[in-house]
Amino acid sequence: MTADTMHSEYHQDTAFQPRANRLGLWFFIMSECFLFGAFLSARYFTTGTFRPEELNQKLALAITIVLLASSISAYLAEASMAHNERKRFALWTTVTIGMAGIFLIGVAIELYEATLHYPPGTPYGSAYFMLIGLHAFHVITGMVGLFIVLFLGMRGRFGSDNYWGVEGVVKYWHFVDLAWVLIYPTLYLF
Amino acid sequence: MKYVARGLVLAVTGYLSGVALTVIINGNGATDELAVIAGYVLALIGWLAGVGGIEAFGRQWIGKTPKVSESQGWKRYFEFSIDHKVIGIQYGVTLISVLLIGGLSAMIMRIELASPGMGVVDLDDFNKIVSMHGILMVAVAVAGVIGAFGNYVIPIQIGAADMAFPRLNALAYWLLPPVAVGLLGAPFLGAFNAGWTSYAPLSVTNDSGQILFNLAIITFGLVSILGALNILVTVITMRAPGMTWGRLPIFTWAGFATSLLAFTVTQFFAAALVLVTMDRVAGTAFFSPDVGTGLLYEHIFWFYSHPAVYIMVLPGFGVILELVTTFARKPLFAYKAVVAALLSIVGLSVVVWAHHMFTSGMADFLHGPFMILTEAISIPTGIIFLSIIGTLWQGRLWFRTPLIVAFGWLFNFLIGGITGIFLADVATDIHLHDTYFVVAHFHYTIVGGAIFALLAATFYWFPKITGRMYNETAGRIFGIWVTLAFNATFIPLFWAGMNGMNRRVGDYPAAFEGANKFASVSALILGASFLLFVGNLLYSAIRGPKAGPNPWNARTLEWLVESPPSQHNFHSQPRIVGHPYDYGVEGSIHAHFPDEEPHAEEQREEVTV
């Protein structure tokens, strides 16, 4: 017996598993929010709203815009799959991965500059490296997820009636964006 | 065993390659902390891949159909089985083993504390043993009832064939052995001596064993979160037709409430330990005395670890409520109020954490609010207590082992609850903080509330899980023995604490010798009782008489199927038509199986009264 048929006995309706998956994903995202909450509150607890003057505000704003835009392309990828348009799905997923790559390059530059002006040994530097690092880890896992659905999508695994994998990864990607929407002002604006 | 062997090989390979890689890149020794981290992470991945992760998850990522273990018999307990009953037993056996190891460390501590001065161990080793005892027992208390019986019983109680995410459930279990190996392997790197609380900055500067502690506990947090998430989705989406929220068995409600807590606050312990790890290896300075603050650690840590005590005892409440209504043959008193109380404990427990920090130097204005919120939590707890007593009141009590242990629970938790008031109150807490009074109090609540519930649940569901009955005489003797020995161990410690004996010490003034000697002797008697417990269960699991489907004449769904339940729990879809606890209410039926042949249904109706 495979895992997919495990529940067939009592859950004949095909709507069940996506429903459970969706609920599970929302719970997972809620759970992640608490993780980010712990680190965000640590930043305010140790350094209040202090921020150093040397922050590269322009680059930070630029990568913020790129990351937020990648949410739109991720949405378009999901919508394309919902309409069974494989080529557009592949295009938008690739665009999303590309923008995530640009974001990570920007983060790497920021981190390099941070080591010069506010290294991890300072209170602000500690919070900065921790939050950026945690978020970058999530960006990388999101990219891995996008690569997997791109690969599976190209091989025809998904269709308009069966695209939970795409939906799940894209929802996670939106969450990664949302986390940045909270981290960016916490580190750069307040 | 093939999969476990493969997992071990891959784990060792992963560990060695992680260490080797770091040594080559960094040029430091093999016990360098970065090397240990890289080794642990790769070992964890290797272990999961080896025990079945490749077949269950990896295949899907490359577009193939996932495979899981389909073995039957003994083999499946050592494989990546997705049957929630197998996983429940895996949790149960693993955690009871950990309980016994943790118990042995307690025995060493009590032998050392039997007289003043240092005897069997030196002060540093004593700290390490205290820390090991603490974290092992916390792990058992957090995951014992909910991991073993939550997994085994909740899907059956709601009429489901399995959990909502069976593969995730298996994954969560298989993360548990690395936790145990990590904690028990820490002595090879110098062990950890900062207590299970691992307060910074001590945990930033002590031996490298602390790194293994951090990694193991972060993994354990993942077990907790994934398990909780699974239970929540299962209870929400997989209830049988007619199983409304108002008919949900109380143990399932308790598991649901526990999961609500576990999947939101567990991150905080992990976060605190990530910060400690970063301070150790990445050069951050969250807790360094000059630029950071140890208070940050305490806040983050207790934001998890106070709710954690409710993660420990809420399933215990569920077990005891479930038991008393069965053995008193009466409907559960104030079912709705109990559900409301369980949920309000979930809400209240996340706003009381700073009562652990009255002497830590946090802002004074926080003392009052945290004291009042903490005392407010005794209201829902009191409602649950009242429900237990109200159910027992004028019931026809059937004194089988589970009920005897439940009475022990009732008494212990009462003492634990009452002594808690003195610790919630700022004025008395400042005197009692960090004394043996606290030790005695939390042993009364956690051992009394969670471990006794684990014991009661083990006896209660043993016939269901194994299909055989434990030895009743030995069970009753154990129930009385463990209750008396437990009380004899911890009552004197209240006195020692009130008179100023500090906790976590390996040596103490001669004035406390009497109380400590008494406690030590009682502790050894308490420890010996577990030989009877384990012996009884092991013998009965193999040689015990057949128990039949419903030895307790209980009404919840797990008792309406054979013992042990078949692979999909039910042969046909159960329909829920009434409340699970209407004992003695004429003509009431909890569930029936309309698709089965008529005479089978008649038999079931007999046992539902």
Side-chain angles (χ1 to χ4, degrees):
Chain A
M1 175 191 330
T2 65
D4 291 350
T5 58
M6 190 66 202
H7 297 103
S8 56
E9 198 126 338
Y10 301 126
H11 293 283
Q12 298 287 355
D13 62 313
T14 50
F16 165 72
Q17 203 56 37
R19 182 173 163 237
N21 284 345
R22 204 166 282 144
L23 193 64
L25 184 72
W26 281 117
F27 276 131
F28 176 72
I29 286 175
M30 229 172 112
S31 169
E32 286 263 41
C33 288
F34 277 80
L35 181 66
F36 278 94
F39 289 111
L40 285 169
S41 49
R43 182 266 198 266
Y44 290 112
F45 189 86
T46 52
T47 57
T49 54
F50 165 83
R51 73 188 144 85
E53 289 306 310
E54 296 90 348
L55 284 167
N56 191 342
Q57 293 284 4
K58 282 179 192 147
L59 180 58
L61 186 63
I63 60 173
T64 304
I65 292 168
V66 170
L67 191 66
L68 292 184
S70 78
S71 237
I72 299 173
S73 62
Y75 168 75
L76 289 172
E78 184 193 345
S80 312
M81 190 43 89
H83 290 96
N84 234 344
E85 297 173 33
R86 297 249 166 83
K87 288 222 173 82
R88 277 167 56 97
F89 162 77
L91 172 72
W92 287 121
T93 312
T94 315
V95 169
T96 312
I97 294 172
M99 287 202 270
I102 294 171
F103 175 81
L104 281 181
I105 293 168
V107 163
I109 297 170
E110 294 266 302
L111 285 178
Y112 170 71
E113 290 181 4
T115 54
L116 305 176
H117 302 294
Y118 33 94
T122 59
Y124 180 84
S126 297
Y128 184 86
F129 276 85
M130 200 60 240
L131 276 169
I132 298 279
L134 180 75
H135 184 260
F137 175 73
H138 281 80
V139 172
I140 291 167
T141 51
M143 279 173 81
V144 171
L146 286 168
F147 268 118
I148 291 173
V149 291
L150 178 63
F151 172 73
L152 294 177
M154 304 273 266
R155 292 185 50 167
R157 173 72 192 271
F158 305 116
S160 57
D161 54 344
N162 161 36
Y163 61 99
W164 159 250
V166 180
E167 188 192 330
V169 170
V170 169
K171 280 214 170 95
Y172 179 75
W173 190 254
H174 291 321
F175 166 72
V176 172
D177 267 17
L178 173 75
W180 184 254
V181 167
L182 293 173
I183 290 172
Y184 172 63
T186 297
L187 290 175
Y188 287 91
L189 302 183
F190 294 155
Chain B
M1 296 300 275
K2 188 181 94 194
Y3 290 91
V4 174
R6 194 177 70 177
L8 284 174
V9 170
L10 286 180
V12 172
T13 318
Y15 187 81
L16 293 178
S17 49
V19 170
L21 216 62
T22 329
V23 169
I24 291 166
I25 295 170
N26 272 13
N28 292 331
T31 54
D32 178 55
E33 293 187 351
L34 217 52
V36 174
I37 293 176
Y40 181 88
V41 171
L42 289 184
L44 196 63
I45 294 170
W47 164 256
L48 288 180
V51 293
I54 296 173
E55 286 84 355
F57 290 95
R59 284 171 62 91
Q60 198 176 15
W61 296 338
I62 55 166
K64 292 183 179 168
T65 325
K67 272 188 198 157
V68 292
S69 161
E70 292 161 36
S71 312
Q72 294 298 318
W74 278 100
K75 249 172 83 183
R76 63 193 157 148
Y77 296 106
F78 300 98
E79 290 180 6
F80 203 84
S81 173
I82 58 170
D83 185 345
H84 71 100
K85 297 185 288 297
V86 174
I87 295 168
I89 293 170
Q90 288 172 328
Y91 268 109
V93 172
T94 311
L95 289 168
I96 287 181
S97 314
V98 174
L99 175 78
L100 298 177
I101 299 171
L104 282 179
S105 57
M107 294 303 110
I108 302 175
M109 280 155 59
R110 279 323 311 179
I111 291 170
E112 170 56 46
L113 288 170
S115 54
M118 300 312 291
V120 284
V121 290
D122 63 28
L123 283 173
D124 193 41
D125 286 344
F126 186 84
N127 287 342
K128 291 171 180 172
I129 295 169
V130 170
S131 309
M132 184 66 88
H133 169 73
I135 195 64
L136 290 180
M137 291 308 207
V138 164
V140 173
V142 163
V145 178
I146 194 75
F149 299 103
N151 266 310
Y152 198 100
V153 175
I154 285 178
I156 316 184
Q157 277 196 335
I158 63 171
D162 205 315
M163 294 287 234
F165 305 118
R167 284 183 297 161
L168 192 68
N169 203 17
L171 179 75
Y173 168 72
W174 285 105
L175 283 168
L176 197 58
V179 176
V181 172
L183 289 175
L184 294 170
F188 292 108
L189 291 172
F192 44 90
N193 59 359
W196 85 270
T197 53
S198 284
Y199 268 19
L202 174 59
S203 56
V204 177
T205 54
N206 58 359
D207 286 337
S208 293
Q210 187 70 40
I211 278 287
L212 272 181
F213 174 97
N214 295 355
L215 295 168
I217 295 307
I218 291 167
T219 316
F220 184 60
L222 206 56
V223 176
S224 228
I225 292 167
L226 296 180
L229 199 149
N230 215 339
I231 288 175
L232 288 176
V233 178
T234 305
V235 174
I236 292 173
T237 60
M238 297 190 60
R239 283 167 290 130
M243 180 61 86
T244 58
W245 290 97
R247 287 173 181 163
L248 212 54
I250 203 70
F251 178 68
T252 301
W253 260 119
F256 185 79
T258 309
S259 303
L260 275 178
L261 262 182
F263 97 108
T264 50
V265 296
T266 310
Q267 290 80 345
F268 279 73
F269 198 0
L273 293 178
V274 167
L275 295 182
V276 168
T277 311
M278 289 300 140
D279 269 18
R280 290 180 78 105
V281 300
T284 58
F286 287 101
F287 309 123
S288 81
D290 40 347
V291 295
T293 166
L295 263 187
L296 172 67
Y297 183 88
E298 295 185 32
H299 276 298
I300 301 182
F301 172 78
W302 286 117
F303 192 83
Y304 163 71
S305 293
H306 191 76
V309 306
Y310 292 98
I311 295 174
M312 298 172 197
V313 299
L314 285 183
F317 288 154
V319 169
I320 302 300
L321 288 161
E322 190 87 41
L323 283 179
V324 291
T325 176
T326 305
F327 289 97
R329 315 306 302 167
K330 274 180 64 192
L332 187 66
F333 181 68
Y335 171 91
K336 282 181 184 158
V338 167
V339 171
L342 287 171
L343 294 177
S344 57
I345 288 177
V346 171
L348 273 175
S349 69
V350 294
V351 291
V352 300
W353 77 91
H355 66 222
H356 293 269
M357 300 165 58
F358 286 148
T359 62
S360 69
M362 68 172 181
D364 281 346
F365 71 89
L366 290 172
H367 289 186
F370 276 107
M371 174 177 83
I372 289 164
L373 285 166
T374 305
E375 288 175 354
I377 227 170
S378 56
I379 297 168
T381 319
I383 291 174
I384 288 167
F385 228 79
L386 204 63
S387 164
I388 295 171
I389 295 170
T391 310
L392 290 170
W393 194 257
Q394 295 192 334
R396 290 172 182 237
L397 302 187
W398 190 25
F399 274 102
R400 300 295 295 261
T401 309
L403 189 65
I404 292 172
V405 180
F407 266 84
W409 182 96
L410 204 60
F411 179 75
N412 296 337
F413 203 75
L414 180 68
I415 306 272
I418 289 173
T419 52
I421 296 169
F422 299 97
L423 296 173
D425 192 276
V426 179
T428 42
D429 181 66
I430 286 171
H431 173 65
L432 294 170
H433 188 84
D434 259 353
T435 66
Y436 256 85
F437 191 88
V438 179
V439 174
H441 159 72
F442 75 69
H443 279 84
Y444 263 99
T445 50
I446 303 305
V447 181
I451 304 297
F452 268 64
L454 177 66
L455 300 176
T458 307
F459 283 112
Y460 182 62
W461 279 301
F462 184 82
K464 177 53 62 186
I465 291 170
T466 61
R468 292 173 187 276
M469 203 59 180
Y470 58 85
N471 184 303
E472 185 62 36
T473 317
R476 287 181 193 187
I477 293 172
F478 169 74
I480 296 165
W481 182 354
V482 75
T483 308
L484 293 179
F486 173 77
N487 278 285
T489 307
F490 287 98
I491 287 275
L493 299 181
F494 280 122
W495 177 86
M498 271 188 283
N499 285 286
M501 180 174 163
N502 280 325
R503 66 188 285 200
R504 299 198 186 98
V505 291
D507 192 8
Y508 53 86
F512 300 119
E513 186 173 1
N516 275 288
K517 196 151 264 167
F518 191 83
S520 289
V521 173
S522 311
L524 292 175
I525 298 172
L526 175 63
S529 73
F530 279 83
L531 295 176
L532 182 60
F533 173 71
V534 174
N536 185 0
L537 296 192
L538 283 182
Y539 180 82
S540 307
I542 300 162
R543 291 283 167 81
K546 293 268 183 227
N550 194 357
W552 313 126
N553 276 335
R555 290 168 49 104
T556 43
L557 272 173
E558 79 268 29
W559 300 105
L560 305 188
V561 294
E562 66 264 52
S563 308
S566 59
Q567 193 181 6
H568 292 294
N569 301 339
F570 305 99
H571 299 294
S572 67
Q573 175 69 64
R575 312 256 157 204
I576 313 301
V577 291
H579 203 270
Y581 302 118
D582 282 341
Y583 290 103
V585 177
E586 215 153 300
S588 70
I589 296 173
H590 174 46
H592 66 116
F593 298 80
D595 301 340
E596 285 180 26
E597 60 278 359
H599 78 269
E601 201 173 311
E602 276 164 33
Q603 278 180 345
R604 287 182 203 290
E605 274 176 30
E606 275 170 35
V607 297
T608 53
V609 180

